[in-house]
Amino acid sequence: MVIGFGDDRIVRPQLVREVAECIPGAAYTELAGCGHYGYLEKPELVNSAIVEFFAGRRKV
């Protein structure tokens, strides 16, 4: 799973998506409304995405 943050100005979401596209079987998720430190800005949103991924509720 590769997570991009919609307002990240350091590592732009499109670059993160490109990384995901280079990893066979990777899933890409973009979370809106947070920047480079999205995991600190919106931890509930990030944790929810990760839990859903590992629970198999997110399509790869």
Side-chain angles (χ1 to χ4, degrees):
M1 175 176 204
V2 181
I3 300 176
F5 301 118
D7 297 331
D8 191 336
R9 293 183 179 194
I10 297 171
V11 183
R12 303 281 184 180
Q14 61 269 25
L15 297 176
V16 179
R17 180 183 295 275
E18 287 180 24
V19 168
E21 290 171 354
C22 291
I23 302 171
Y28 174 74
T29 300
E30 186 172 315
L31 304 177
C34 46
H36 189 67
Y37 292 107
Y39 56 91
L40 295 175
E41 297 169 29
K42 296 197 175 182
E44 301 86 10
L45 188 61
V46 174
N47 290 340
S48 176
I50 293 170
V51 168
E52 287 180 17
F53 173 77
F54 282 117
R57 293 185 292 236
R58 254 199 192 324
K59 292 186 179 184
V60 177

